[in-house]
Amino acid sequence: MHDGQAARRYPLAADKAYGNGPLLGWLIDQDITPHVPVIDRTRQRDDFFTRDAFRYDRNANVYHCPNDKLLTYRGTVQASQVRAYRSRPADCAACALKPQCTTARQRAVTRLVTEDARDQVRALSGTEASIRARQRRKRIERVFGHLKRNLNLRSLKLRGLNGAAEEFTMAAAAYNLQLLANRAAPA
């Protein structure tokens, strides 16, 4: 981007399968605004505090537990691109909230390397542009679902991109003809 040139963000809508951190980070780096539901498994624990109960301090790169004790950065697992944060065992041993937090000696919280991108996308979720993108995505997904279920288009028979484009164009034309026939039929 040149000096004085305004950043242009291109919007992209996709379903939840594309809501993983690395892809969202890449889209943001490419000046693409992703209107994609974020894959989020932070609320899957039933009995203990979820990661949402812990407050992340970006400047200090630490988490604060519900009892305001620190969970410090302990390293990154390169294979999974996860940053690990742990409390001090002495802090957990003396904590009245420990039964709600963990059964281990200390509490651990993880944060994806791409969590900042995921946070940016979560912030977009309630905006007017995101709602409009979700409505458009539903219309497209309805067509894909119909083609897959009713026209049995589960896999393409023709080879190559041109063959796939031709086959899909024909299937979409058949779908549109069915829509026209249904609208023209007397009620």
Side-chain angles (χ1 to χ4, degrees):
M1 186 167 29
H2 302 290
D3 291 333
Q5 180 183 359
R8 175 144 189 218
R9 308 263 316 158
Y10 298 97
L12 170 86
D15 64 9
K16 193 172 189 167
Y18 297 97
N20 63 50
L23 179 62
L24 296 175
W26 181 84
L27 290 170
I28 289 171
D29 289 344
Q30 302 302 311
D31 286 335
I32 299 171
T33 304
H35 297 289
V36 180
V38 177
I39 296 173
D40 198 4
R41 295 182 178 95
T42 58
R43 294 176 183 86
Q44 288 184 336
R45 294 181 69 178
D46 294 331
D47 300 331
F48 299 110
F49 290 130
T50 63
R51 193 181 71 187
D52 292 345
F54 295 78
R55 184 174 44 86
Y56 181 65
D57 181 351
R58 180 173 281 108
N59 296 329
N61 193 24
V62 296
Y63 274 94
H64 295 268
C65 79
N67 204 16
D68 210 29
K69 299 293 182 186
L70 293 181
L71 284 79
T72 56
Y73 174 70
R74 299 296 173 98
T76 301
V77 179
Q78 293 300 324
S80 58
Q81 292 292 293
V82 172
R83 294 180 179 145
Y85 297 83
R86 287 196 189 92
S87 63
R88 291 183 3 188
D91 288 342
C92 289
C95 184
L97 298 177
K98 186 176 179 189
Q100 296 170 275
C101 192
T102 185
T103 57
R105 287 185 49 219
Q106 65 191 103
R107 176 62 192 249
V109 174
T110 58
R111 181 177 178 83
L112 293 173
V113 170
T114 55
E115 195 66 34
D116 290 339
R118 293 162 49 89
D119 289 341
Q120 285 181 317
V121 175
R122 281 187 198 103
L124 293 172
S125 67
T127 64
E128 185 178 327
S130 179
I131 293 168
R132 210 174 27 244
R134 184 173 51 236
Q135 291 167 343
R136 289 179 182 159
R137 188 174 66 243
K138 283 181 183 177
R139 279 193 302 217
I140 293 167
E141 290 292 333
R142 181 177 40 219
V143 174
F144 286 142
H146 177 82
L147 293 175
K148 187 175 175 181
R149 184 181 62 247
N150 297 346
L151 300 181
N152 203 24
L153 190 66
R154 296 187 180 281
S155 63
L156 300 175
K157 311 314 184 251
L158 300 177
R159 294 179 178 222
L161 289 176
N162 290 336
E166 183 178 328
E167 189 173 350
F168 190 79
T169 300
M170 295 302 290
Y175 174 79
N176 287 334
L177 287 172
Q178 282 181 334
L179 284 180
L180 287 172
N182 289 341
R183 287 186 181 160

